[in-house]
Amino acid sequence: MSVTEQGLLERDKDTMTLNMGPQHPSTHGVFRMILEMDGEIVRSSEPDIGFLHTGIEKTAEVKRYVHCIPMTDRLDYLSPPQNNLAFCLTVEKLLGLDEMPARADYLRVIMCELGRIGSHLVWLGTHALDIGAMTVFLYAWRERELVLDLNEMISGVRMMTSYIRIGGVAQDATPQWIQGVREFVDIFPAKIDEYESLLTNNPIWMDRTRGIGTLAREDAINWSMSGPILRASGVKLDWRKQRPYSRYDDFTFDIPTQEHGDIYDRYLVRIEEMRQSREIIKQAINQLPDGPYKIQDNKVSLPERDTLHTSMEALIHHFKLVSDGVKVPPGETYVPTEGPRGEVGFYIVSDGSNTPYRMKLRAPSFMAIPGMCHLMTDSFIADVVAIIGSVDIVMGEVDR
Amino acid sequence: MTSEEIVAKCQSSLGGDLVQAEVNLGDAVIYVSPEALPKAAEWLKNDPDLRFDYLSQITGVDYLEQDREPRFEAVYELHSIDHGHSIRIRVGLDEENPTVPTVTTLWKGADFPERELFDMFGFQVTGHPNLKRLLMPEDWEGHPLLKDYPLTIEEISFSHNPDHKSELIKTKSNQE
Amino acid sequence: MAEYFFVFIFAIVALGVIAGLLLLSSFLGPKNPNTEKDLPYECGMLPSEEAKGRFPVRFATIAMLFIIFDIEVVFMYPWAVALDELKIFGLIEMGIFIAILAVAYIYIWGRGGLEWD
Amino acid sequence: MGLIDQAVESIETEVNNLKLNAKDAFDQLGAEFSGAIYDSILTTKLGKIVGWAQKNALWPATFGLACCAIEMMAMANSRWDAARFGAEVFRASPRQADLMIVSGRVSQKMAPVLKRIYNQMADPKWVIAMGACSSCGGIFNNYAIVQGVDRVVPVDVYVPGCPPGPEALIYGIIKLQEKILNEAGTDKARQRVA
């Protein structure tokens, strides 16, 4: 039925349907919501996702395990190392390798924490920009460029590093990179204080965020929220402490939590998390052990380049791994890890061949969207924008 | 509680409905039939010393190529916030009309994953508030993640090696 | 009368520039309307209903309050420009003017005219 | 008997060619007189000035789809600074934008939306396909992704990379500016506005 007929039919309903559609500056990606508006108040909001559905889970079923790693980079494109780590941990659990060399684990931790800081900086910039603080957007990106330079220095690529591989990491850390990380660790706390001076005690910021989009503890658990949103509602769940993986228990860091669970608390939790991540990187880079940067079992990880010229079986292993890839024994498992947005994990079913039979990403933003839309009922339209920013959804991992 | 204790407790009190229970790679896994799922889930959530109050994820799997008896499977991953332990429920669904009862009454976060099960695998979720396509456009036929759904790869149209190019031109001409 | 001559010239030039810009761009600019381009822009989706609909009365009251205080500011401009001639008399005059409006403001605030729902 | 069939066939192709040529000539004519006043006044020199003005104020429409959108934001920020080339103001509504940077992978559900946004942009308008996914489907060759955005909208500049660095995108914008200046004053510019 044409637009006008629809309009005439719906004349008597007193709410107005507003389409906050896929192409919108503050929906953080192609996310669409149909809002029933009564004047300025949102009565109900129905989400419509799938505008960035890339069919990665279907494509992964024909790719070898090592080929899936660049795919996982593009799922949550704000912290790619975290997705690589979740994928590799699950495959290594299926392979039965539970002990990585210490250096590999430390490099993995540093890359994931740098990814977390980079992702929180993007959240801070766009969230503040949506609410109107333009300068924070420019400040946050200035530090993000430092993180991207470190990514480029070690893996050659700014964002999609694919640095964490099955059985360790891709290349060893160079002394320049270690020096770069040390410099970043020294200057970063002053920068966080700069953001705090701009926002934390800013009356406009407090009016726009305090007491808005509050999520009680039981609701947060019932709506399957995870990560900073859960911790802002008072639940102390962080998978790095709950089930330490990749030697996270070597480092001392604490989990910031707040009580009320409104947007201001989520902001405080994430700012404190950036400080804790910087703390982890400092300890990891200072105690970086030397030794192999990947597992020596050549059935899983490639042998060293220079050994190819001398030893014959290194050449055979190299050829078999490159042409055939690693064969994972049949089975299914799921390993939860702590991403910047929450619990990230891959559920992988393997049938013994070298391609995953079924690969599913447990995406924190995907599980958070129904809860987010529940938060929006009976709030102002301006708060809808603040709530989307505070839940920090990334459409790459929502639509997969 | 460790995985073994969880499995033992489930076997003792859920004995009848439990198809099988095991500890697989350190995780507690129980197999439940679709009809018994609501009761089992209710018990898992409200039992005082289990208290699985957090639904981590719901996944669909199509075991066509492994020719297992129940072709489809819905996998529920639950976690307990207070006790810190997890469990995985695997529900086997047969091939004709795979239906699974909804768990949105217990965990409101199950709304989207169950709609994705319907959209990607075609499982009917009985009792779901609004069961319609989630990721694919409304008028899309077929369920993409089924094993017999083609990946619809598009042939590459440029190629640098000569013999492949002649064959490409042949296929292109008879396409027009 | 002579001194108003320049104000007159200034008005003519201002109107001339505005009319010129509007007419020239609509006259010279390329125009090729198509059905999709004329649809109202709704973030890339087809509009679901007519734009008019019924607006709640809150919008009207907020608009009226805005106009009242906007006019108040408009009166302050000439006053601020001529303050050095008006000296103390101008100050008292404007004080009374603002006081009257402040009473109205406090009344509106008390009655909850500024809250939304 | 074969001769007659050959003759009939050749006459048919002849008529067919004539029809095609007539159609092309007619199109050419149509483009010639479209936008009436806009064409007759603009000589090549004045066209160059219009082109120079257009190229130095390319306002992109925020069409951030996926990972490339993050690099597009980095391009607009202080380190890579697209403001040096006039492309810094990101307009949210297509009415006020004249450049659409398609940054990210275009899914089947998003293609009609992209087409509608492109149609709602005011002429003259240009399109940059940023990244491998929007240029040719990139690493995703499956049911969900449109294999290249030039199947939906005419594209002017393709920027390779996954995601292309901000400097690669700025180089794409510079290439587009050169293209605008070369096209200014010619009938291509007229067709773009027809």
Side-chain angles (χ1 to χ4, degrees):
Chain A
M1 95 179 121
S2 85
V3 169
T4 45
E5 281 150 13
Q6 233 176 352
L8 294 178
L9 271 182
E10 283 158 2
R11 180 197 298 271
D12 47 16
K13 79 175 171 60
D14 54 4
T15 60
M16 171 183 134
T17 353
L18 179 76
N19 177 18
M20 200 164 170
Q23 201 255 348
H24 191 278
S26 62
T27 49
H28 290 245
V30 281
F31 171 64
R32 175 183 175 219
M33 272 188 306
I34 303 152
L35 304 172
E36 287 295 324
M37 308 269 303
D38 169 14
E40 285 276 310
I41 308 267
V42 174
R43 285 296 170 234
S44 86
S45 78
E46 200 238 333
D48 176 10
I49 60 173
F51 288 95
L52 195 64
H53 177 55
T54 331
I56 288 184
E57 290 174 357
K58 180 81 177 177
T59 317
E61 282 164 12
V62 296
K63 298 263 182 193
R64 284 202 283 282
Y65 279 97
V66 77
H67 295 168
C68 293
I69 291 181
M71 291 271 179
T72 59
D73 274 321
R74 277 129 187 109
L75 280 169
D76 174 1
Y77 42 77
L78 285 182
S79 69
Q82 189 62 48
N83 298 348
N84 297 351
L85 182 63
F87 181 79
C88 293
L89 285 177
T90 314
V91 175
E92 280 151 14
K93 183 175 178 186
L94 280 172
L95 281 167
L97 323 158
D98 42 17
E99 259 315 306
M100 285 296 129
R103 188 175 177 89
D105 272 344
Y106 276 52
L107 285 174
R108 283 179 170 187
V109 162
I110 295 172
M111 284 305 284
C112 282
E113 292 310 322
L114 280 175
R116 190 187 312 276
I117 289 180
S119 162
H120 280 339
L121 287 175
V122 171
W123 156 78
L124 183 66
T126 45
H127 183 37
L129 184 66
D130 287 348
I131 294 186
M134 301 286 289
T135 42
V136 184
F137 180 70
L138 298 170
Y139 280 20
W141 242 268
R142 181 188 54 188
E143 269 65 55
R144 181 176 156 78
E145 287 296 327
L146 301 180
V147 173
L148 294 180
D149 285 350
L150 290 176
N151 282 352
E152 193 165 7
M153 208 188 292
I154 192 164
S155 68
V157 190
R158 278 166 60 91
M159 275 172 68
M160 307 289 172
T161 49
S162 308
Y163 178 65
I164 295 169
R165 302 284 166 79
I166 300 169
V169 283
Q171 294 102 11
D172 202 351
T174 59
Q176 297 86 352
W177 182 76
I178 294 172
Q179 180 54 26
V181 172
R182 286 219 172 85
E183 278 155 18
F184 176 75
V185 158
D186 296 342
I187 62 162
F188 195 55
K191 306 293 181 190
I192 301 184
D193 299 342
E194 241 176 72
Y195 310 145
E196 293 240 43
S197 64
L198 276 174
L199 286 179
T200 307
N201 302 323
N202 179 335
I204 304 172
W205 180 259
M206 285 203 275
D207 288 352
R208 282 298 301 274
T209 52
R210 229 184 247 283
I212 292 162
T214 50
L215 192 59
R217 189 180 187 288
E218 289 66 32
D219 281 348
I221 296 171
N222 209 335
W223 282 102
S224 299
M225 294 287 188
S226 59
I229 309 156
L230 208 56
R231 290 193 284 276
S233 305
V235 177
K236 203 170 177 55
L237 170 65
D238 184 323
W239 290 97
R240 294 174 293 180
K241 289 272 191 199
Q242 186 87 23
R243 293 209 188 115
Y245 51 89
S246 174
R247 279 190 171 81
Y248 260 106
D249 37 18
D250 292 2
F251 312 115
T252 57
F253 61 98
D254 55 356
I255 310 294
T257 56
Q258 295 289 340
E259 284 324 310
H260 326 296
D262 56 7
I263 296 178
Y264 192 69
D265 281 2
R266 291 182 204 129
Y267 159 79
L268 290 178
V269 162
R270 287 202 178 94
I271 289 284
E272 186 50 31
E273 256 183 28
M274 278 204 271
R275 284 209 171 86
Q276 294 305 321
S277 292
R278 177 247 166 211
E279 194 55 41
I280 296 173
I281 296 175
K282 188 156 84 75
Q283 293 168 35
I285 201 73
N286 291 342
Q287 311 151 8
L288 187 64
D290 38 25
Y293 59 91
K294 55 185 172 187
I295 202 162
Q296 292 312 311
D297 161 14
N298 285 340
K299 290 276 183 300
V300 173
S301 69
L302 291 170
E304 282 303 322
R305 291 297 300 179
D306 44 21
T307 59
L308 292 190
H309 315 308
T310 52
S311 84
M312 188 52 201
E313 66 279 341
L315 193 63
I316 297 168
H317 281 137
H318 187 276
F319 179 72
K320 272 212 44 63
L321 262 181
V322 167
S323 60
D324 218 5
V326 63
K327 279 201 171 26
V328 178
E332 46 92 31
T333 189
Y334 169 74
V335 175
T337 65
E338 185 62 30
R341 262 155 282 290
E343 176 192 342
V344 180
F346 279 84
Y347 176 75
I348 295 183
V349 175
S350 81
D351 56 358
S353 73
N354 56 11
T355 63
Y357 187 76
R358 163 79 166 119
M359 175 190 99
K360 155 123 169 96
L361 164 74
R362 191 271 178 196
S365 311
F366 177 74
M367 301 299 280
I369 285 191
M372 177 175 79
C373 291
H374 159 70
L375 276 180
M376 286 174 197
T377 45
D378 299 338
S379 71
F380 286 104
I381 185 84
D383 299 339
V384 163
V385 171
I387 289 171
I388 293 179
S390 76
V391 172
D392 187 15
I393 54 172
V394 168
M395 291 316 286
E397 70 175 1
V398 167
D399 293 342
R400 282 183 302 278
Chain B
M1 288 165 68
T2 68
S3 305
E4 288 73 17
E5 285 159 7
I6 295 174
V7 166
K9 186 163 171 56
C10 289
Q11 267 162 347
S12 64
S13 55
L14 272 179
D17 323 320
L18 226 52
V19 173
Q20 187 201 340
E22 60 178 7
V23 176
N24 163 12
L25 290 174
D27 313 336
V29 181
I30 60 173
Y31 296 73
V32 174
S33 66
E35 299 70 26
L37 176 64
K39 194 166 79 61
E42 177 93 29
W43 175 74
L44 282 173
K45 180 171 185 193
N46 301 331
D47 183 83
D49 49 9
L50 283 179
R51 280 203 56 67
F52 285 111
D53 50 4
Y54 183 81
L55 171 76
S56 176
Q57 56 147 347
I58 301 175
T59 320
V61 187
D62 172 7
Y63 282 102
L64 176 63
E65 281 149 17
Q66 292 185 7
D67 49 48
R68 260 182 15 150
E69 206 295 300
R71 172 181 168 193
F72 293 113
E73 191 171 90
V75 182
Y76 295 72
E77 182 86 23
L78 302 176
H79 179 68
S80 159
I81 300 282
D82 316 332
H83 303 302
H85 48 241
S86 304
I87 193 169
R88 191 176 310 138
I89 310 175
R90 297 176 62 169
V91 181
L93 309 171
D94 47 20
E95 190 163 352
E96 293 71 33
N97 61 351
T99 62
V100 66
T102 179
V103 288
T104 40
T105 50
L106 294 167
W107 299 282
K108 290 206 274 292
D111 171 16
F112 260 29
E114 282 178 350
R115 269 179 68 183
E116 191 198 5
L117 282 187
F118 166 70
D119 185 0
M120 286 293 154
F121 288 93
F123 295 170
Q124 291 301 333
V125 186
T126 53
H128 190 277
N130 85 55
L131 192 68
K132 54 183 170 60
R133 281 210 181 261
L134 183 69
L135 294 171
M136 302 310 289
E138 260 64 30
D139 48 8
W140 190 272
E141 315 91 32
H143 301 287
L145 273 181
L146 293 179
K147 281 293 177 185
D148 40 23
Y149 186 94
L151 184 57
T152 55
I153 288 186
E154 203 175 285
E155 281 313 313
I156 48 172
S157 45
F158 314 104
S159 176
H160 288 298
N161 62 39
D163 46 17
H164 190 197
K165 196 177 283 186
S166 57
E167 174 213 306
L168 266 181
I169 293 162
K170 228 182 356 350
T171 52
K172 263 241 182 312
S173 56
N174 54 38
Q175 260 169 8
E176 257 95 44
Chain C
M1 187 45 198
E3 67 274 5
Y4 282 115
F5 175 68
F6 295 106
V7 172
F8 184 66
I9 292 292
F10 179 72
I12 293 290
V13 166
L15 286 180
V17 165
I18 295 168
L21 286 179
L22 285 181
L23 285 182
L24 261 183
S25 64
S26 69
F27 191 58
L28 267 183
K31 275 176 278 305
N32 28 47
N34 57 53
T35 53
E36 194 120 289
K37 187 187 255 189
D38 299 342
L39 274 180
Y41 163 67
E42 270 216 20
C43 298
M45 306 304 283
L46 283 176
S48 55
E49 63 182 35
E50 284 298 304
K52 51 158 188 33
R54 294 205 333 242
F55 291 100
V57 75
R58 293 306 307 159
F59 286 113
T61 48
I62 299 277
M64 270 193 300
L65 290 179
F66 166 72
I67 289 177
I68 295 166
F69 293 109
D70 200 17
I71 302 290
E72 175 188 4
V73 170
V74 162
F75 281 129
M76 284 186 189
Y77 278 119
W79 168 74
V81 165
L83 194 52
D84 45 9
E85 289 100 13
L86 291 174
K87 292 193 182 48
I88 195 66
F89 163 72
L91 191 64
I92 299 165
E93 195 59 43
M94 185 47 80
I96 298 164
F97 176 69
I98 290 178
I100 295 165
L101 279 164
V103 165
Y105 179 62
I106 292 160
Y107 170 71
I108 290 166
W109 196 344
R111 279 290 300 271
L114 297 182
E115 269 70 30
W116 173 256
D117 44 10
Chain D
M1 275 304 286
L3 280 178
I4 300 171
D5 298 345
Q6 270 165 6
V8 163
E9 206 177 84
S10 63
I11 292 168
E12 254 169 24
T13 48
E14 208 49 52
V15 163
N16 206 315
N17 290 347
L18 263 179
K19 253 192 277 162
L20 277 178
N21 295 348
K23 190 170 150 332
D24 284 351
F26 193 71
D27 275 357
Q28 187 61 23
L29 210 62
E32 196 64 39
F33 287 102
S34 69
I37 304 292
Y38 181 81
D39 312 315
S40 59
I41 288 183
L42 283 190
T43 64
T44 49
K45 280 298 158 280
L46 194 56
K48 286 291 179 214
I49 295 173
V50 168
W52 166 78
Q54 280 166 350
K55 90 176 172 76
N56 278 330
L58 280 172
W59 285 8
T62 44
F63 208 83
L65 297 167
C67 351
C68 289
I70 312 290
E71 288 292 66
M72 191 167 73
M73 285 193 237
M75 168 199 84
N77 261 312
S78 43
R79 177 173 179 191
W80 302 98
D81 201 359
R84 298 170 285 165
F85 306 94
E88 167 230 356
V89 185
F90 273 82
R91 305 305 300 168
S93 113
R95 308 294 193 200
Q96 302 151 0
D98 48 19
L99 162 68
M100 173 198 264
I101 302 182
V102 181
S103 55
R105 39 198 190 241
V106 181
S107 71
Q108 302 289 355
K109 200 172 179 182
M110 193 63 188
V113 176
L114 186 124
K115 181 74 181 149
R116 197 166 299 129
I117 297 273
Y118 178 75
N119 287 342
Q120 286 177 347
M121 280 168 75
D123 286 306
K125 52 194 172 192
W126 293 273
V127 174
I128 288 185
M130 173 185 182
C133 293
S134 54
S135 306
C136 65
I139 55 175
F140 305 113
N141 186 350
N142 56 22
Y143 61 94
I145 289 295
V146 174
Q147 297 302 307
V149 87
D150 40 19
R151 296 175 181 205
V152 184
V153 285
V155 174
D156 292 296
V157 172
Y158 297 91
V159 179
C162 183
E167 73 284 355
L169 184 58
I170 288 180
Y171 184 66
I173 288 180
I174 293 169
K175 276 292 166 224
L176 180 65
Q177 289 179 343
E178 280 163 22
K179 174 173 180 174
I180 294 171
L181 204 55
N182 299 344
E183 262 183 13
T186 63
D187 58 4
K188 273 220 186 67
R190 216 166 283 125
Q191 263 152 21
R192 182 177 291 281
V193 168

